[in-house]
Amino acid sequence: MAASRIDILIDRLRSSVERSSLILEAAERQAYSCDGLTSHRAVPKLVIVPASREELIASVRAVIDVDLPWVARGAGTGLSGGALPDEEGVLVVTSRLKAILEVDPISRIAVVEPGVVNLELSKAVLPHGLYFAPDPSSQIACSIGGNVAENSGGAHCFKYGFTTHHVLALELLLPTGELLWLGSEGMDGPGPDLRGVVIGSEGTLGIVTRVVCRLLPLPEARRTFLAYFDSVAAAAEAVSDVVSRGITPAAIEMMDHLAIAACEIATGAGLDTTAQSCLLLELDGEADEVAQEFLSVRALMDLHGSSHVWEAANEEERALMWLARKAAFAAAGRVAPAYIVQDGVVPRSALPRVLEGIGRLGVESGLSILNVFHAGDGNLHPLVTYDPSIEGQEALAEEVAAKILTLCLEEGGSLTGEHGIGVDKVCHMPEMFTADDLTTFERLRGAFDPSGMCNRGKLLPTPRLCGERPGRYQPHPLEEAGLGERW
Amino acid sequence: MGTKSQSLTEEFDAIAELSATCVHCGFCLAACPTYSVTSMENDSPRGRIWLLAQAARTKEVNDSLRLHIDRCIGCEACVPACPSGVRYDDLIDRARRVVNVGRSKRELLGRSVVVASFSRAQRFGSLVPSAQALARGVVKSSLLRPQLPRLPRVQALLEQAATIEPQRSMGTFTSLVPNERARVVMLTGCIASVFFEEVNAATVKVLNAEGISVIVPKEQGCCGALASHAGQHRPAQRAARALIAALDLPGIDAVVTNSAGCGAMMKDYGELLEHEIGSDAFSGRVVDVMEFLDRFKSVIRYRPMPREILYHEPCHLAFAQGVRSAGPSVLGRIPGLKLRLTEGPNCCGAGGLYSATQPELAHQVGEAKRDAILEAGIDLLVSGNPGCAIQLNSLLGDRVNILHPIVLLSRAIES
Ligand SMILES: Cc1cc2nc3c(=O)[nH]c(=O)nc-3n(C[C@H](O)[C@H](O)[C@H](O)COP(=O)(O)OP(=O)(O)OC[C@H]3O[C@@H](n4cnc5c(N)ncnc54)[C@H](O)[C@@H]3O)c2cc1C
Ligand code: SF4
Ligand code: SF4
């Protein structure tokens, strides 16, 4: 059945898009079988890489026409399997749509295509003294469309917020084939904020075809430094103290011993690998204000027993520090062949306790867990490392990762800070939301996508998906509660 | 046959292990020149690694893999870009060998003719016209038709070569200086010695001016890079052994080269020759001329050159050899000279024979580079690799002057 619909689709697409926009070869489709969450893989029946916005719209409409499931993909750096293809359907990749259509330095906005790489936008507007604030560690690779879909944050979101605070409007191709603009070029448009609904919806409400980004002026002054500590707890307490005194650093990032070591191996930035933990702090704003904050923060670091501090003497040193920090996830590949990165959020006050709990899970399971995270907003990124070639380790790692999430939830935290639910955490949704909440989400989704073909199986739990994890059976919580069954 | 399949199994095992270190983060995408122009996953390092891992799992080489390995320039920009430490340099060497298995005889033969015509240019006559004639012959031969659908591209390269004053190869040459600070042997390079004799003369002049004696043995062949890029293991090994025999003279401190591509290859001889005796020691003595000069406190007085120039980092110097600061640091000895790097992916698309075997993609990559260079609005560019110089020259015509950094240095020496 599906196969023949695919054939009809391919036939139709041949006349409406460039030949090079279609990837038909099985081996070539394979390369798209996962995003940054490599433990989940599926090969789509067809990959479309449209050469233009017109091709994108025409081809997605063609897919909708033949009623096949489809998934959008940007750069495939997602960490929750959001861009995991549908085995029976089509993957639509925005990587060729990388034009910056307009930059207006006066109103400080840029209109971009969804495939524009995050960092490329900041580079392009730098001559105007502007930048795009959301800066996920993956910014060298990830697309703005992906940022919108995941409502991505970054090291600087503690002060500057997430993608949703920096996207004024977007053009969306609905799963019904309609094209519409949501939001407005001002900060406060009329009507319900549907733009806000789409941002963070993980590609389940349609495909974003153009984005109006808000740009910020570069700060007048910046000071960046690393403070080393003898324990993770001391660093965590220092963070709480800084924030409780009303200081809002542009970034407070924390790394534990293993993470420091991995980043240093990867980048040779000059980190002190003997330290148990370190904080990467950045203060920015007006020169006077920054100078004053710097003194207070330095004093607090000393108070909490920071052993020593490395302040960036110039832009190159600052770049090195960030290079090291942003390499963290991938650098985990230096110490183990694979890892699962978690994305829990906990109240800052609970940080020391949760970190201790994670440490315990590491010891019990025998798996190394690296900790690197946005400490300012309590967004944890424990990296549970494992070796997939050792039988059972992948499952063990998944189990440990799941326990970490439970730990976060028990502390009143959240399942995800910025990486999204995707397929990875979909089965945990009922732990955080009630059945009523989930039904409401379902209805919202249905309003955008009545046929349920757009990124199906992601974000919201379905008994089918949660019961049918490839390889291992994991009973879905709804099943366990007798509310659902496998089908 | 038995040993062949055995070695194939070994290659697959090594590929499986090497590719397992990729965590699929995508950090390498921005550095890759082919991904930058096509934006296709299979033209990215991450995609190629995936294809390779797949092949290693199934022990099968399919046309898609072959295509995308052939489309890789081998610039190695993805290696330093990778936080996870994936050794793509090692992977691509193996991949190139693996994809030759099962390639049609006709295609294989065509590829080796191209390699031979370039790498023997010197031995066959030392003159550009003969190299050109040979290459033209190759191009015309029906054998190559399927591989070189775009003749104009190769012809452009050859015509380009012809516009550069044809000069005779250097021959035996020893230039000793009194109270020498070091003594080196110099590689003349097969393409360089034919197309860019000024580069070799300048190398000797600058080294001598620094108090370094230079020996240039007459019989030198190709370093084997061209064969190696074409996945021809044995011919590459043979070339390496011959060159070691020619250059590994007693009493020398270093083997100096002014060709980034040859330098990268010779530094890899240990690996290529499976660490047979002498190979690692030889590789250890190889240095790029800029790298070597950077080790000495300069005694040269340079004339001021108050102007801005573009500095092109050859991929084979920056990524394959990890020599990055030496060029700018040595050029910085010329008073008033300011260097600027171009934006965007680094590679110009030359990649040894890449522009001949993948004309279309090489051209696209080249165009992106050309635009970035023109955008900078500077009319003088230096590049420490003859292959890049040929490619850039044909892309830029007379809009931008292209020199080897050593030539700029030699011209700036106060007489
Ligand atoms: C090393 C590393 C570090 C990271 N650090 C951070 C970090 O600091 N902060 C952070 O927030 N994330 C981080 N991430 C996660 C990831 O980079 C972000 O989620 C990013 O926004 C994904 O962008 P992408 O283009 O790769 O999207 P993809 O992975 O391709 O897709 C992600 C989701 O977006 C959807 N999507 C993509 N394009 C569109 C579109 N045009 N319209 C609608 N839906 C679309 C997909 O369907 C999918 O659900 C990191 C990832 C890695 C590998
Ligand atoms: S060697 Fe160069 S062309 Fe090949 S994958 Fe790496 S970056 Fe791309
Ligand atoms: S940067 Fe390294 S680990 Fe990341 S995708 Fe590229 S090769 Fe793989």
Side-chain angles (χ1 to χ4, degrees):
Chain A
M1 254 288 272
S4 64
R5 267 185 281 159
I6 279 285
D7 293 340
I8 297 169
L9 176 67
I10 292 171
D11 226 40
R12 286 193 198 164
L13 287 173
R14 280 213 164 104
S15 58
S16 55
V17 306
E18 278 178 21
R19 171 64 188 86
S20 65
S21 305
L22 302 178
I23 300 184
L24 306 168
E25 279 299 320
E28 295 193 348
R29 282 184 275 125
Q30 298 248 3
Y32 290 90
S33 49
C34 67
D35 57 10
L37 182 77
T38 51
S39 50
H40 290 67
R41 294 175 285 265
V43 185
K45 287 260 182 304
L46 171 68
V47 179
I48 310 177
V49 193
S52 64
R53 175 172 160 273
E54 290 66 38
E55 276 200 9
L56 171 75
I57 294 169
S59 51
V60 172
R61 283 184 176 154
V63 175
I64 295 168
D65 245 19
V66 293
D67 204 23
L68 278 166
W70 60 282
V71 176
R73 168 174 163 131
T77 69
L79 291 169
S80 53
L84 175 76
D86 193 308
E87 266 176 353
E88 288 161 19
V90 180
L91 186 72
V92 183
V93 187
T94 64
S95 59
R96 286 163 91 190
L97 306 177
K98 48 181 186 181
I100 297 174
L101 302 167
E102 190 190 323
V103 176
D104 179 349
I106 310 285
S107 341
R108 293 186 184 147
I109 57 169
V111 184
V112 304
E113 290 190 322
V116 169
V117 168
N118 175 299
L119 191 60
E120 289 299 317
L121 176 57
S122 284
K123 272 197 199 159
V125 299
L126 185 67
H128 303 293
L130 300 171
Y131 74 111
F132 183 55
D135 64 336
S137 304
S138 53
Q139 70 181 142
I140 192 170
C142 64
S143 71
I144 304 239
N147 296 165
V148 167
E150 298 288 356
N151 189 19
S152 291
H156 293 79
C157 62
F158 181 52
K159 181 166 177 180
Y160 293 102
F162 289 78
T163 302
T164 190
H165 304 110
H166 302 276
V167 166
L168 296 172
L170 47 88
E171 187 190 52
L172 182 74
L173 182 63
L174 288 173
T176 53
E178 291 156 87
L179 191 66
L180 61 140
W181 273 101
L182 299 174
S184 66
E185 296 199 355
M187 279 302 281
D188 189 17
D193 184 13
L194 291 174
R195 172 208 66 95
V197 171
V198 171
I199 298 177
S201 63
E202 302 189 12
T204 59
L205 305 182
I207 185 162
V208 174
T209 47
R210 280 192 284 197
V211 186
V212 182
C213 302
R214 184 165 78 105
L215 306 171
L216 294 187
L218 287 164
E220 182 187 302
R222 241 179 207 154
R223 280 180 96 161
T224 310
F225 56 99
L226 280 166
Y228 294 102
F229 292 86
D230 296 334
S231 73
V232 175
E237 274 153 23
V239 172
S240 286
D241 211 1
V242 168
V243 180
S244 66
R245 288 178 199 235
I247 303 172
T248 309
I252 320 184
E253 301 285 294
M254 182 158 147
M255 292 190 264
D256 71 0
H257 175 70
L258 282 175
I260 297 172
C263 291
E264 182 56 26
I265 303 173
T267 62
L271 306 182
D272 178 358
T273 51
T274 62
Q276 283 310 307
S277 71
C278 78
L279 294 177
L280 170 54
L281 284 123
E282 188 158 279
L283 301 165
D284 72 4
E286 285 174 19
D288 302 353
E289 187 194 342
V290 170
Q292 210 163 16
E293 278 185 356
F294 179 72
L295 291 177
S296 328
V297 174
R298 271 298 324 248
L300 284 175
M301 294 301 119
D302 289 345
L303 185 71
H304 287 278
S306 164
S307 49
H308 53 297
V309 164
W310 171 26
E311 189 188 353
N314 49 39
E315 188 52 35
E316 278 91 73
E317 283 192 18
R318 170 178 183 264
L320 265 183
M321 291 176 180
W322 280 115
L323 178 75
R325 164 59 188 89
K326 292 191 173 179
F329 292 173
R334 300 265 178 171
V335 293
Y339 61 80
I340 297 175
V341 50
Q342 275 302 10
D343 177 37
V345 182
V346 296
R348 257 187 314 276
S349 56
L351 269 180
R353 269 197 309 281
V354 174
L355 287 172
E356 204 192 296
I358 294 175
R360 223 177 308 116
L361 284 171
V363 172
E364 280 165 20
S365 63
L367 299 177
S368 293
I369 305 178
L370 284 67
N371 279 295
V372 24
F373 53 94
H374 311 312
D377 40 17
N379 187 182
L380 298 174
H381 291 316
L383 295 140
V384 184
T385 64
Y386 65 93
D387 184 345
S389 66
I390 299 176
E391 181 137 9
Q393 268 214 352
E394 186 161 331
L396 180 64
E398 277 192 32
E399 203 177 295
V400 171
K403 281 188 184 156
I404 292 176
L405 269 192
T406 310
L407 208 64
C408 295
L409 290 177
E410 281 168 6
E411 288 285 353
S414 157
L415 282 175
T416 171
E418 52 186 20
H419 297 165
I421 299 294
V423 287
D424 187 33
K425 277 167 266 182
V426 68
C427 300
H428 290 283
M429 286 291 270
E431 291 174 35
M432 188 163 166
F433 297 101
T434 64
D436 283 350
D437 292 338
L438 293 174
T439 314
T440 312
F441 294 155
E442 202 80 67
R443 287 173 61 191
L444 174 72
R445 183 174 184 164
F448 281 79
D449 182 14
S451 60
M453 287 303 210
C454 178
N455 219 359
R456 63 180 190 181
K458 315 278 178 67
L459 189 57
L460 296 181
T462 62
R464 184 186 72 90
L465 191 96
C466 294
E468 277 182 18
R469 278 287 195 73
R472 283 177 309 284
Y473 170 66
Q474 289 184 336
H476 184 269
L478 282 175
E479 265 179 277
E480 282 174 337
L483 297 172
E485 56 184 48
R486 292 181 79 187
W487 40 269
Chain B
M1 204 52 211
T3 61
K4 199 166 196 175
S5 66
Q6 188 186 355
S7 73
L8 194 60
T9 310
E10 274 167 27
E11 297 284 22
F12 278 139
D13 288 349
I15 286 171
E17 200 169 309
L18 287 163
S19 53
T21 47
C22 173
V23 296
H24 224 245
C25 67
F27 276 39
C28 52
L29 301 185
C32 177
T34 56
Y35 181 77
S36 293
V37 299
T38 71
S39 301
M40 292 296 199
E41 186 70 17
N42 289 292
D43 282 328
S44 78
R46 185 176 65 180
R48 292 184 174 116
I49 293 167
W50 189 273
L51 286 171
L52 281 167
Q54 196 69 20
R57 237 189 323 274
T58 57
K59 309 249 182 287
E60 232 173 76
V61 176
N62 54 39
D63 289 343
S64 300
L65 175 70
R66 196 170 291 122
L67 176 73
H68 293 289
I69 292 305
D70 285 354
R71 282 163 73 91
C72 167
I73 306 176
C75 71
E76 298 181 19
C78 46
V79 178
C82 172
S84 186
V86 174
R87 291 294 307 271
Y88 187 84
D89 48 341
D90 197 353
L91 264 174
I92 187 68
D93 278 349
R94 293 177 191 279
R96 282 170 165 167
R97 298 200 283 264
V98 162
V99 297
N100 271 349
V101 176
R103 209 191 274 278
S104 74
K105 284 236 167 59
R106 188 186 165 83
E107 207 183 325
L108 274 177
L109 188 59
R111 291 171 74 85
S112 41
V113 176
V114 177
V115 170
S117 73
F118 280 85
S119 57
R120 292 206 196 115
Q122 185 192 32
R123 241 181 294 158
F124 274 11
S126 314
L127 291 173
V128 174
S130 57
Q132 193 181 22
L134 178 62
R136 281 244 167 84
V138 166
V139 161
K140 279 198 195 119
S141 92
S142 61
L143 258 182
L144 265 175
R145 282 272 153 73
Q147 280 71 58
L148 300 172
R150 283 178 195 232
L151 278 181
R153 188 64 206 98
V154 179
Q155 260 157 6
L157 192 125
L158 295 166
E159 273 154 26
Q160 190 49 52
T163 61
I164 298 161
E165 192 104 326
Q167 295 175 43
R168 218 166 45 76
S169 149
M170 207 167 214
T172 316
F173 192 90
T174 306
S175 182
L176 302 180
V177 288
N179 300 324
E180 62 182 22
R181 293 156 94 192
R183 181 178 291 210
V184 301
V185 63
M186 186 180 90
L187 174 85
T188 51
C190 45
I191 298 185
S193 64
V194 181
F195 295 161
F196 299 103
E197 185 153 323
E198 190 188 359
V199 175
N200 284 337
T203 307
V204 176
K205 180 174 161 191
V206 177
L207 286 170
N208 281 174
E210 288 291 12
I212 298 160
S213 295
V214 185
I215 302 167
V216 190
K218 187 171 181 183
E219 279 299 322
Q220 302 190 11
C222 173
C223 65
L226 299 176
S228 167
H229 291 174
Q232 299 167 351
H233 198 43
R234 291 278 146 71
Q237 287 183 324
R238 273 198 298 276
R241 289 193 188 103
L243 196 58
I244 293 179
L247 298 186
D248 208 5
L249 308 178
I252 54 142
D253 298 303
V255 178
V256 169
T257 172
N258 49 39
S259 156
C262 307
M265 182 74 256
M266 293 191 296
K267 284 183 179 177
D268 205 31
Y269 278 178
E271 219 41 64
L272 176 70
L273 296 174
E274 287 139 33
H275 311 285
E276 72 185 28
I277 293 182
S279 59
D280 285 303
F282 179 84
S283 285
R285 276 198 284 281
V286 173
V287 281
D288 184 80
V289 62
M290 301 308 268
E291 184 185 10
F292 195 62
L293 288 171
D294 196 34
R295 290 184 191 162
F296 294 84
K297 201 171 150 21
S298 180
V299 295
I300 299 178
R301 273 174 57 128
Y302 289 106
R303 276 188 292 115
M305 238 187 230
R307 64 158 300 165
E308 203 174 11
I309 62 167
L310 277 173
Y311 182 75
H312 170 66
E313 283 197 291
C315 300
H316 280 120
L317 190 60
F319 311 127
Q321 301 183 50
V323 176
R324 304 204 74 161
S325 60
S329 131
V330 172
L331 285 168
R333 294 171 182 170
I334 301 177
L337 195 70
K338 275 215 223 43
L339 304 192
R340 203 191 315 162
L341 288 167
T342 52
E343 288 287 320
N346 185 71
C347 185
C348 63
L353 292 177
Y354 190 76
S355 45
T357 55
Q358 296 291 330
E360 196 176 345
L361 201 49
H363 194 65
Q364 282 174 289
V365 170
E367 280 180 330
K369 185 74 193 179
R370 178 196 63 200
D371 294 347
I373 291 172
L374 292 178
E375 184 133 323
I378 297 174
D379 65 358
L380 178 60
L381 176 147
V382 295
S383 166
N385 193 39
C388 303
I390 296 180
Q391 167 85 345
L392 291 169
N393 213 332
S394 77
L395 286 164
L396 292 158
D398 48 18
R399 283 176 290 184
V400 177
N401 214 343
I402 291 150
L403 286 182
H404 193 291
I406 198 75
V407 172
L408 195 70
L409 286 168
S410 101
R411 288 188 191 170
I413 294 181
E414 259 183 10
S415 48

